[in-house]
Amino acid sequence: MIFLTALPLFWIMISASRGGHWGAWMPSSISAFDGTCVSIPCRFDFPDELRPAVVHGVWYFNSPYPKNYPPVVFKSRTQVVHESFQGRSRLLGDLGLRNCTLLLSTLSPELGGKYYFRGDLGGYNQYTFSEHSVLDIINTPNIVVPPEVVAGTEVEVSCMVPDNCPDLRPELSWLGHEGLGEPTVLGRLREDEGTWVQVSLLHFMPTREANGHRLGCQAAFPNTTLQFEGYASLDIKYPPVIVEMNSSVEATEGSHVSLLCGADSNPPPLLTWMRDGEVLQEAVAESLYLELEEVTPAEDGVYACLAENAYGQDNRTVELSVMYAPWKPTVNGTVVAVEGETVSILCSTQSNPDPILTIFKEKQILATVIYESQLQLELPAVTPEDDGEYWCVAENQYGQKATAFNLSVEFAPMILLESHCAAARDTVQCLCVVKSNPEPSVAFELPSRNVTVNETEREFVYSERSGLLLTSILTLRGQAQAPPRVICTTRNLYGTKSLELPFQGAHRLMWAKIGPVGAVVAFAILIAIVCYITQTRRKKNVTESPSFSAGDNPHVLYSSDFRISGAPDKYESERRLGSERRLLGLRGEPPELDLSYSHSDLGKRPTKDSYTLTEELAEYAEIRVK
């Protein structure tokens, strides 16, 4: 901006031109409103030695060469001008003083163009200066806005109109500036090339709301109907503000979700959708959709929209809640415990919304929580009754899932009350039912015979386990005399339990009724029968001849597979199934039983070659008779 007190550069150049050579000085361009006038300032010079008596001059339009017959704007010799300039042009300067200033009035658009001046000093002393001035006929004021207007930073906008008509002075006013600020008129200012402008300034603090606002300036000429208006749209730069976004979104698993983010900024922002720091989608736009197809629980969470440009940024978040049925519960806790210990079992799952969790056993609810993802089951002192299968069930309005788990309670053996012995004919079977965890060992003791039979001797013992119950059956055949006492002993790493098994059935009642005397009578009768049978067999030349080398009181066997250790060799050769079968009680220590007896043999009668109690008694009786 040039102030009124500044010394015009144009006139400095004119003063320095006094050098005695051809030259001209005029503004390269000048403007004026349509219908007004314009004064084109002009100075020229010529060599001092010419010293003309009279100096003339000619103004041409659009061409400096007379041979091209350009339109004459003004001619001092003849006053003959082109019809377009008749009554419109006159010389304001004194050619004798080397001032060639031209005034054009009643301007119209066709007068806009280049104007050349030619000096005529007489004779051949004529010179067309190459310097020229371009006239621009305008009809709008010039509103000058800074190249960058930023919201929140004070700005100055100016309205400038040419003021080169000495007869008409423009007056400026602002249009549409309400709410922006009050204008300041600086007045008439001189430009670098000697032209004049009228300037009005408007200072204001721009806001984002004023972006795109249409601001106008009006130039009016008093006492005329001439009035000109110009407008400029404010391009105010400001940082983004997110103005449109989803609120919290709920969606069912597998459905389609569309998230919208819209921002207001100038210039348009870069919009970015992010989740956990990962960029999902971005674009330079005023709005951006994030499309999620068939959402899963993994996509549940907080999504952020970031809007940014060169002037700042803004961000907002939206929470996506994916609703889904509970996952299969997981159980993290004790599954094996010792009786009396405290057991803590944690059942957990994941769902949205949180589920109802329930732990039950055999349709009995043990613990439950509502709208929780974890459930703790506390059993302060577990008992064998706590052993078994448990279920953890999780459910919400979208579905149900369940998980089964087993609690194994380890405890010392317990012999149940249904354990007993029963006798039928010559067979005794003893049942020992044990409840235990872990599985126990079971042994049957016959104290009167000093014999122990364990479950590994399958020829006599059959065992079967079902859950926590172990059932062992001892089978003794050839038991014609009173059944023996049987003690069941069971043990595992937590303890030992023994029980004498009670007898049930007819044989025990019979022995109880006849008593000791009856037993002796029955025994004598039995011996007589045996003797009779023996005599009959001899008559039939039976090859078997019983003889005993044992003492007078051999021990009696209670199993069909036991034989007397002192029997003749021919019995050994016929009945020895192995080298280890021995008769109980004849050789000091009771022998161990190394027998194999399968469950399928339970209840069978003794085989043909079995050495039964009856046969032993027969042989014994025969020896006595002899």
Side-chain angles (χ1 to χ4, degrees):
M1 182 182 298
I2 303 175
F3 298 96
L4 295 175
T5 57
L7 182 63
L9 179 61
F10 174 76
W11 295 114
I12 295 176
M13 294 173 62
I14 293 297
S15 301
S17 67
R18 307 289 184 178
H21 61 272
W22 293 100
W25 293 264
M26 64 187 71
S28 59
S29 63
I30 193 168
S31 59
F33 283 105
D34 187 10
T36 63
C37 66
V38 64
S39 173
I40 303 176
C42 175
R43 298 286 293 177
F44 70 98
D45 198 9
F46 51 84
D48 293 339
E49 63 268 18
L50 297 180
R51 300 182 183 278
V54 179
V55 178
H56 291 280
V58 181
W59 281 92
Y60 292 113
F61 182 64
N62 278 340
S63 178
Y65 304 110
K67 62 181 180 179
N68 294 335
Y69 301 103
V72 176
V73 178
F74 174 81
K75 189 173 185 178
S76 62
R77 282 184 181 274
T78 63
Q79 302 296 317
V80 176
V81 298
H82 189 270
E83 60 182 356
S84 300
F85 295 96
Q86 289 182 359
R88 291 173 141 182
S89 61
R90 64 188 177 95
L91 194 67
L92 293 182
D94 184 351
L95 296 178
L97 298 177
R98 305 181 185 189
N99 187 337
C100 51
T101 301
L102 176 68
L103 177 65
L104 299 175
S105 59
T106 317
L107 296 174
S108 58
E110 67 270 14
L111 299 184
K114 299 177 181 179
Y115 288 82
Y116 294 88
F117 179 71
R118 178 180 176 84
D120 182 3
L121 304 183
Y124 293 102
N125 296 320
Q126 299 181 17
Y127 189 84
T128 300
F129 299 99
S130 60
E131 292 83 357
H132 61 279
S133 184
V134 179
L135 176 61
D136 184 21
I137 307 300
I138 64 174
N139 55 20
T140 57
N142 181 27
I143 298 178
V144 180
V145 181
E148 183 176 77
V149 179
V150 180
T153 302
E154 188 178 37
V155 67
E156 176 187 276
V157 179
S158 61
C159 177
M160 302 178 66
V161 297
D163 189 10
N164 296 306
C165 178
D167 301 328
L168 295 173
R169 300 292 183 190
E171 293 182 354
L172 300 180
S173 60
W174 288 93
L175 306 174
H177 69 288
E178 294 82 4
L180 296 178
E182 293 300 323
T184 301
V185 178
L186 293 183
R188 192 167 182 255
L189 299 178
R190 192 181 187 90
E191 296 182 299
D192 291 343
E193 294 187 326
T195 58
W196 295 85
V197 292
Q198 194 73 250
V199 179
S200 179
L201 302 179
L202 181 65
H203 291 86
F204 63 95
M205 187 71 71
T207 62
R208 68 174 59 245
E209 292 76 17
N211 182 47
H213 182 77
R214 199 162 179 257
L215 184 64
C217 178
Q218 183 184 79
F221 293 87
N223 303 321
T224 69
T225 59
L226 298 176
Q227 185 172 293
F228 304 93
E229 295 178 357
Y231 292 89
S233 293
L234 296 177
D235 182 20
I236 300 175
K237 310 296 183 183
Y238 54 92
V241 173
I242 296 177
V243 295
E244 187 176 13
M245 195 167 184
N246 303 81
S247 57
S248 296
V249 177
E250 286 189 0
T252 306
E253 182 179 10
S255 64
H256 173 84
V257 174
S258 181
L259 302 179
L260 171 63
C261 178
D264 173 39
S265 72
N266 187 28
L270 172 64
L271 293 177
T272 305
W273 275 107
M274 304 178 67
R275 180 170 181 258
D276 296 333
E278 178 185 359
V279 175
L280 304 177
Q281 189 174 350
E282 63 180 2
V284 177
E286 294 181 354
S287 63
L288 181 62
Y289 283 92
L290 177 63
E291 305 290 347
L292 301 175
E293 303 289 343
E294 297 182 356
V295 293
T296 65
E299 294 173 291
D300 187 286
V302 177
Y303 291 76
C305 177
L306 174 65
E308 57 184 336
N309 64 11
Y311 300 95
Q313 66 177 20
D314 189 21
N315 66 83
R316 285 179 58 185
T317 59
V318 58
E319 183 174 359
L320 172 61
S321 182
V322 179
M323 318 302 287
Y324 58 97
W327 291 0
K328 187 176 179 65
T330 58
V331 177
N332 181 21
T334 305
V335 293
V336 177
V338 178
E339 181 180 12
E341 288 183 347
T342 298
V343 172
S344 178
I345 298 173
L346 178 66
C347 175
S348 61
T349 185
Q350 183 175 328
S351 70
N352 193 11
D354 285 330
I356 299 174
L357 277 172
T358 304
I359 296 179
F360 65 89
K361 178 189 179 190
E362 299 175 354
K363 298 183 180 180
Q364 179 182 0
I365 295 177
L366 303 179
T368 186
V369 291
I370 299 176
Y371 305 136
E372 296 286 344
S373 61
Q374 293 184 342
L375 173 59
Q376 188 91 13
L377 175 64
E378 294 284 348
L379 300 175
V382 292
T383 65
E385 286 70 28
D386 294 320
D387 189 284
E389 184 180 59
Y390 292 72
W391 284 89
C392 178
V393 179
E395 59 181 331
N396 63 13
Q397 61 265 45
Y398 298 100
Q400 181 188 82
K401 288 291 174 63
T403 295
F405 62 95
N406 288 293
L407 172 60
S408 178
V409 179
E410 297 186 342
F411 55 94
M414 297 183 293
I415 300 178
L416 303 187
L417 296 178
E418 55 262 36
S419 302
H420 66 279
C421 290
R425 296 184 180 179
D426 62 347
T427 300
V428 173
Q429 284 191 329
C430 293
L431 177 69
C432 186
V433 182
V434 180
K435 186 175 183 181
S436 172
N437 189 22
E439 183 175 351
S441 62
V442 175
F444 293 92
E445 293 183 54
L446 285 69
S448 60
R449 276 68 178 177
N450 200 20
V451 173
T452 299
V453 182
N454 58 48
E455 57 189 337
T456 62
E457 301 177 82
R458 298 183 180 179
E459 189 173 359
F460 303 101
V461 179
Y462 168 74
S463 296
E464 184 178 82
R465 184 174 177 85
S466 176
L468 298 178
L469 296 181
L470 177 66
T471 303
S472 291
I473 302 174
L474 172 67
T475 301
L476 301 176
R477 294 185 179 90
Q479 301 299 308
Q481 293 188 3
R485 291 174 55 220
V486 178
I487 298 174
C488 177
T489 300
T490 178
R491 62 170 53 85
N492 65 10
L493 58 92
Y494 296 107
T496 302
K497 186 71 174 179
S498 296
L499 176 69
E500 181 175 347
L501 301 180
F503 267 84
Q504 299 177 0
H507 280 70
R508 183 170 180 85
L509 294 175
M510 181 188 70
W511 290 109
K513 289 180 179 179
I514 64 176
V517 176
V520 172
V521 173
F523 185 72
I525 295 171
L526 182 60
I527 291 176
I529 294 172
V530 170
C531 290
Y532 174 77
I533 293 173
T534 303
Q535 293 296 333
T536 304
R537 289 176 62 188
R538 285 180 177 177
K539 291 179 180 181
K540 293 180 180 180
N541 298 318
V542 179
T543 58
E544 298 179 4
S545 57
S547 62
F548 284 78
S549 61
D552 292 337
N553 298 307
H555 289 269
V556 179
L557 293 179
Y558 290 90
S559 171
S560 61
D561 286 336
F562 293 167
R563 58 184 298 275
I564 302 173
S565 60
D569 291 340
K570 62 180 180 180
Y571 287 107
E572 290 212 28
S573 61
E574 291 179 358
R575 294 177 175 82
R576 182 166 306 187
L577 300 179
S579 60
E580 298 299 326
R581 295 189 177 183
R582 297 182 296 274
L583 181 64
L584 292 174
L586 298 180
R587 295 184 178 177
E589 294 292 334
E592 294 186 359
L593 300 180
D594 184 11
L595 302 175
S596 175
Y597 199 80
S598 65
H599 177 57
S600 60
D601 293 327
L602 290 176
K604 289 185 179 180
R605 301 291 295 174
T607 59
K608 183 178 180 181
D609 60 347
S610 298
Y611 193 65
T612 65
L613 174 65
T614 303
E615 293 173 336
E616 292 179 19
L617 291 176
E619 294 183 14
Y620 178 75
E622 186 176 352
I623 294 172
R624 286 294 185 184
V625 170
K626 290 181 177 180

